[in-house]
Amino acid sequence: PVPTAKLEQAIAYIEKCISPGGVGYSHTNRWGHVSRTGGAILALSIAGATKSKGFSIMCKNLDSAMKNVVGGHASNALAFWQCAAGSLHVSTAMWDKYVQTWFKKIMDLQEPDGKFGQMKHPKENQTTERNLGPAYLTALYSFVLLVDQGGLKYTSGLASRKK
């Protein structure tokens, strides 16, 4: 098990990275993005820190910024996965909002042979995933789609307990 002091240190660091736009890259570069916010929600949930002072702030940010998942400078597939993982850990209603907002767009990325393709960055008209390959993209998008129907057992996410 992870020592309590180390968990508390990690939780405190995540909370230092919170900005009005969500969770930033670091405590000095707090440019927030909903994908990092989703990843931080996942981390705090697994650590049992859902009562921490930043958790509710992050949940509100995820809710209000969910439409902005695409557009960071990293992998869109990873951004979708982080936002999905965070949504699963907030509530069934948050997960349902994620499904309504993004599932059609994700499915539109699937190619005839079943693998998932790249998504162009909406502002820069380029792909940030050109070197990652179809296995990476398909794994992340498949996780997001399969967890919705109970096709995967997933940590402690509230939404994955739907009957």
Side-chain angles (χ1 to χ4, degrees):
V2 178
T4 303
K6 290 291 184 187
L7 277 177
E8 289 171 353
Q9 183 181 13
I11 291 163
Y13 185 78
I14 289 172
E15 291 187 340
K16 284 182 189 176
C17 297
I18 297 172
S19 71
V23 175
Y25 285 113
S26 71
H27 70 285
T28 57
N29 180 348
R30 294 178 4 156
W31 178 68
H33 194 269
V34 67
S35 62
R36 286 186 294 279
T37 303
I41 289 170
L42 170 66
L44 292 181
S45 294
I46 291 171
T50 58
K51 304 287 186 221
S52 68
K53 66 180 182 176
F55 191 80
S56 64
I57 294 167
M58 288 187 286
C59 292
K60 288 175 188 166
N61 175 268
L62 181 66
D63 187 35
S64 66
M66 188 177 293
K67 65 187 178 302
N68 300 322
V69 172
V70 178
H73 294 288
S75 162
N76 287 316
L78 183 59
F80 276 115
W81 183 87
Q82 288 175 304
C83 189
S87 296
L88 281 167
H89 284 271
V90 174
S91 67
T92 300
M94 185 75 76
W95 175 249
D96 290 343
K97 179 178 180 176
Y98 180 90
V99 169
Q100 289 289 44
T101 304
W102 290 112
F103 266 38
K104 181 178 182 335
K105 182 70 172 173
I106 292 170
M107 288 302 298
D108 288 347
L109 295 171
Q110 192 170 28
E111 297 177 1
D113 64 0
K115 71 181 180 231
F116 285 82
Q118 301 174 34
M119 177 186 298
K120 287 195 181 226
H121 188 287
K123 295 177 185 166
E124 299 173 6
N125 198 29
Q126 67 178 356
T127 58
T128 55
E129 303 169 323
R130 61 190 162 275
N131 297 322
L132 299 176
Y136 170 85
L137 300 173
T138 301
L140 290 174
Y141 288 128
S142 295
F143 168 87
V144 171
L145 296 170
L146 288 170
V147 77
D148 183 56
Q149 298 301 315
L152 297 172
K153 302 230 184 268
Y154 180 68
T155 63
S156 60
L158 300 173
S160 63
R161 295 186 190 140
K162 286 197 262 188
K163 299 278 183 209

